[in-house]
Amino acid sequence: MAVATRFDAIIIGSGQAGNPLATALAAAGRKVALIEQNLLGGSCINYGCSPVKAMLASAERMQQVATAANYGIKAGKPTPNLRAIVERKDALIQAKRDGIQKNLTQEQKGITLLHGRATFTGARRLRVALADGGEQVLTAPRIFINTGTRAAVPPIEGLEESDFLTNVEILNLKELPEHLLILGGGYIGLEFGQMFRRFGSRVTIVSTATQLLENEDDDVCAAMQEQLAADGIEFVLQADVHRVSRNADGIYTLTAATPAGERRLRGTHLLVAVGREPNTDLLGLEAAGVATDEKGYVQVNERLQTNVRGVYALGDVHPGPQFTHISYDDYRLVRDNLLHGKRRTTTGRPVPYVVFTQPQLGRIGLNEKQAQEQKLSYRVATMPVRTIGRAQETGHTTGLMKVLVDGRGYLLGAAVFSEQGGEIMSMLQLAMAGGLTCDDLQDMVLAHPTWAEALNNLFSKLRQPG
């Protein structure tokens, strides 16, 4: 049996929780091993937030040029160079990876970085198959699982053999799709859909749901679909795709049952964006006795501890909201509990998020559906963006703002579908955290003409639901 190298802590996965945790533990004098099978930085850096938003910025520039005449500016028709767009994205991401590599290997002593695949052989013992050959055996009293997720592949006949795209492969296309079919109406599908439509591709979004972003309120979903349809995106909703094929010319055919009967949808490219599944199947969790749910997510308590003493799970690999900022807060929670003597938990923490279409959808707290399910008494205010002075001046008049408040006037939640929607939502989150009431925000002196100024008028429209 190989001799095991002992560490104070082992972190499996170089994601948005694992990297800062390694740094914090090492700075506190702990001997830390960080194991990464793929690229440093996890999903956010490599095929999530950063690369997608970099390419969305190019799509936004395309739109600005395309609509310049509306602002009295003469400009030619924009033509995207997808290869150059991807090269810009790659340069940004490589700089981020290099920064992580430097931080883990040069700027902080006490971290051993291993590239390879980790497998549990016991509760606190791992075997690492190194990428450059050979293996190492490691032990530690504390092990942190931060292995993230990958694109889920639905069990559709012919899909596995069709050479489809996920959010990873589509980021590296060098030629523009003629007709991009997107399976899934969630935020990943919507962001890529608008991006490639603005680049010039024909885009069709296919979903089993009755509306986009099915967990949002109906009026918010309708506003999102109206905007994307105005961009030229086509939708086939309530569509049960049961077969996928691809012919010799590379054309995909999706056969779907719809309320109007069976349909065959054809396109040159297919993006599958129907959800995520955890990267736990190759970890050997059964050898450690670590419990997972029926989907493979690692079960944790409110302190992110698994059922095995000393083993934790952070980030997307455990059940719950899958956002980078939640993963980062997982790190802070564990850091504070282990190093600062606190007793932080995940109970009641806010879950803000943004869909980075244009306009953005910023969300915090409860929506109407959730308030009704919880049988809460609330008032609601909704205001179209076109009534806001800043929107009229900038030409960004699409969308709506919506807030819910309780009987005492405190905010329960907000949906801000507008230009700078994520930033405005964050202001409302700060108000919630600070205990400001709707009266405080309605009467607050806000600079004119700003997007934030809309809050004065928004809260004047509060009414009972129905």
Side-chain angles (χ1 to χ4, degrees):
M1 179 179 292
V3 176
T5 303
R6 182 175 174 82
F7 291 87
D8 297 313
I10 300 171
I11 301 168
I12 311 172
S14 168
Q16 296 302 302
N19 291 337
L21 181 60
T23 301
L25 290 173
R30 310 296 200 273
K31 181 182 177 184
V32 179
L34 176 61
I35 306 162
E36 175 54 54
Q37 182 176 350
N38 296 309
L39 297 168
L40 291 177
S43 60
C44 177
I45 296 297
N46 294 293
Y47 45 83
C49 310
S50 296
V52 176
K53 278 50 179 181
M55 292 180 67
L56 281 170
S58 296
E60 184 176 347
R61 298 302 187 280
M62 281 278 298
Q63 183 71 1
Q64 290 172 347
V65 176
T67 59
N70 298 339
Y71 298 81
I73 307 298
K74 184 178 180 180
K77 181 180 179 180
T79 303
N81 181 339
L82 191 58
R83 186 175 296 274
I85 290 169
V86 170
E87 287 175 354
R88 173 183 178 272
K89 175 264 298 181
D90 288 344
L92 289 169
I93 300 315
Q94 189 58 55
K96 290 177 181 289
R97 288 191 201 120
D98 292 345
I100 294 170
Q101 175 84 24
K102 182 179 179 181
N103 174 257
L104 294 175
T105 60
Q106 299 179 31
E107 296 178 352
Q108 182 60 62
K109 296 180 180 180
I111 300 174
T112 298
L113 179 61
L114 299 175
H115 291 277
R117 189 180 75 219
T119 307
F120 279 91
T121 59
R124 282 168 290 280
R125 187 181 182 93
L126 296 168
R127 178 187 298 113
V128 182
L130 299 172
D132 58 0
E135 68 175 38
Q136 288 191 24
V137 177
L138 315 178
T139 64
R142 288 194 174 93
I143 297 179
F144 303 90
I145 303 169
N146 183 223
T147 51
T149 61
R150 59 181 181 269
V153 181
I156 298 174
E157 179 186 349
L159 180 60
E160 288 276 10
E161 300 79 36
S162 68
D163 196 25
F164 59 88
L165 303 169
T166 70
N167 63 301
V168 177
E169 294 84 14
I170 197 170
L171 289 168
N172 296 316
L173 291 179
K174 300 302 190 295
E175 295 183 1
L176 198 64
E178 179 182 335
H179 184 184
L180 176 62
L181 301 172
I182 299 178
L183 198 57
Y187 71 91
I188 293 176
L190 301 189
E191 290 181 1
F192 278 116
Q194 189 180 58
M195 176 198 302
F196 278 94
R197 178 60 193 146
R198 290 186 167 180
F199 287 157
S201 297
R202 180 183 172 190
V203 175
T204 301
I205 293 178
V206 185
S207 174
T208 58
T210 58
Q211 60 186 19
L212 304 178
L213 301 172
E214 56 184 327
N215 293 324
E216 303 298 341
D217 286 334
D218 293 348
D219 52 354
V220 174
C221 296
M224 174 68 77
Q225 185 167 340
E226 181 181 352
Q227 171 58 48
L228 296 179
D231 282 336
I233 295 176
E234 304 164 48
F235 300 95
V236 182
L237 303 181
Q238 300 182 70
D240 181 15
V241 177
H242 55 83
R243 188 171 187 275
V244 174
S245 62
R246 191 181 187 198
N247 66 20
D249 295 325
I251 301 300
Y252 291 88
T253 299
L254 275 57
T255 305
T258 74
E262 186 166 275
R263 291 191 59 179
R264 287 181 172 81
L265 309 167
R266 293 178 174 82
T268 58
H269 294 71
L270 172 61
L271 169 65
V272 175
V274 296
R276 311 288 295 173
E277 60 185 29
N279 293 318
T280 55
D281 48 323
L282 299 179
L283 284 175
L285 295 178
E286 62 281 354
V290 173
T292 61
D293 66 12
E294 68 280 359
K295 295 181 179 180
Y297 289 97
V298 179
Q299 299 276 48
V300 294
N301 63 14
E302 70 280 3
R303 291 186 175 84
L304 304 175
Q305 299 164 317
T306 71
N307 62 305
V308 176
R309 184 178 178 84
V311 180
Y312 298 71
L314 293 75
D316 296 353
V317 77
H318 65 71
Q322 296 183 357
F323 299 111
T324 294
H325 43 283
I326 297 300
S327 296
Y328 188 74
D329 193 57
D330 282 358
Y331 142 67
R332 292 185 298 205
L333 185 154
V334 170
R335 175 204 62 191
D336 289 349
N337 291 346
L338 293 182
L339 300 180
H340 300 158
K342 298 183 180 180
R343 294 183 61 81
R344 282 191 58 192
T345 72
T346 59
T347 303
R349 69 177 170 184
V351 185
Y353 58 92
V354 182
V355 181
F356 285 91
T357 50
Q358 191 183 25
Q360 300 170 2
L361 172 60
R363 280 280 290 111
I364 181 65
L366 301 179
N367 59 26
E368 279 202 86
K369 289 180 181 178
Q370 293 165 329
Q372 290 165 5
E373 289 170 356
Q374 297 181 29
K375 301 186 184 329
L376 297 178
S377 175
Y378 68 92
R379 288 183 293 160
V380 61
T382 304
M383 185 174 72
V385 168
R386 66 177 181 274
T387 65
I388 301 170
R390 183 65 175 167
Q392 296 164 3
E393 294 148 8
T394 60
H396 297 299
T397 56
T398 300
L400 59 86
M401 296 183 181
K402 183 175 183 178
V403 290
L404 276 69
V405 302
D406 65 16
R408 299 179 300 161
Y410 292 104
L411 275 72
L412 293 171
V416 184
F417 182 49
S418 78
E419 182 72 9
Q420 302 300 321
E423 310 301 330
I424 301 168
M425 175 276 292
S426 297
M427 292 183 60
L428 292 169
Q429 182 183 352
L430 287 170
M432 294 169 71
L436 298 181
T437 68
C438 57
D439 291 336
D440 294 327
L441 293 168
Q442 183 178 344
D443 296 335
M444 185 175 291
V445 178
L446 297 168
H448 173 80
T450 61
W451 286 102
E453 185 185 27
L455 299 180
N456 290 157
N457 292 333
L458 175 61
F459 285 98
S460 71
K461 301 181 184 301
L462 285 167
R463 58 171 176 76
Q464 296 297 323

